[in-house]
Amino acid sequence: MTRTPLRTALVVSALAVGLSACQSPPPEPKASSDAVSSTVSSTGTASGKTSGAVYVTGAKAGDDPCARVVSAIGYLGLSLLPAGQEEAQHWDGDVRGRFGYLRGTLAMYGPHLPASASAAVATVDGLAETLSRADTAGSLRTDLLRRYRKASAVVLTACGRS
């Protein structure tokens, strides 16, 4: 007597249960229909709501744009070697993925940052796009990383962080 049909039936049943859970409708969004607003606090940081596509897991319309962008820059920084060691930086999927995460954060929150950061945000986004790609030549990465550090420092300063 072969156990294959029983084993197959159990596997198929388990997969069906798992897939049906994945196909349930998503919960209704809790975001209000308020007009998109953005204000600058007395410390020079932007706060307000974002609209449009969600590029960052867990992002909410009411999140502070500066806090989100500063957090993404810090998250990337955890995978980067200290300044001055750019030549030794390892460019694995973790580092490239964190540059991609930063791009998503900038796409969602960059337009709501203080105006003094707009040029630096565009620079950081362009550099992050290049540095997130696996096909970027290693000979270019060192200089691009140094340029990224300078531009991201401008964004941090505009958000009242250093």
Side-chain angles (χ1 to χ4, degrees), residues 87-105:
E87 291 87 7
Q89 179 66 50
H90 186 65
W91 294 97
D92 60 5
D94 171 61
V95 174
R96 293 190 320 269
R98 290 182 189 216
F99 272 108
Y101 175 80
L102 176 58
R103 289 200 72 218
T105 304

Side-chain angles (χ1 to χ4, degrees), residues 73 76-77 79-91 95-96 99 102 123-124 126-128 130-132 136-153:
I73 290 170
L76 170 59
S79 292
L80 297 177
L81 293 175
Q85 297 182 23
E86 290 84 3
E87 291 87 7
Q89 179 66 50
H90 186 65
W91 294 97
V95 174
R96 293 190 320 269
F99 272 108
L102 176 58
T123 300
V124 168
L127 293 166
T130 303
L131 290 168
S132 68
T136 299
S139 59
L140 299 175
R141 290 187 184 274
T142 301
D143 180 56
L144 295 175
L145 180 55
R146 287 185 180 123
R147 290 174 47 201
Y148 159 77
R149 289 184 194 275
K150 289 178 185 174
S152 65

Side-chain angles (χ1 to χ4, degrees), residues 39-106:
T39 59
V40 178
S41 70
S42 61
T43 60
T45 60
S47 63
K49 297 182 179 182
T50 62
S51 64
V54 175
Y55 298 103
V56 180
T57 302
K60 296 181 182 115
D63 290 347
D64 178 57
C66 272
R68 279 294 193 164
V69 172
V70 167
S71 176
I73 290 170
Y75 178 64
L76 170 59
L78 295 173
S79 292
L80 297 177
L81 293 175
Q85 297 182 23
E86 290 84 3
E87 291 87 7
Q89 179 66 50
H90 186 65
W91 294 97
D92 60 5
D94 171 61
V95 174
R96 293 190 320 269
R98 290 182 189 216
F99 272 108
Y101 175 80
L102 176 58
R103 289 200 72 218
T105 304
L106 290 174

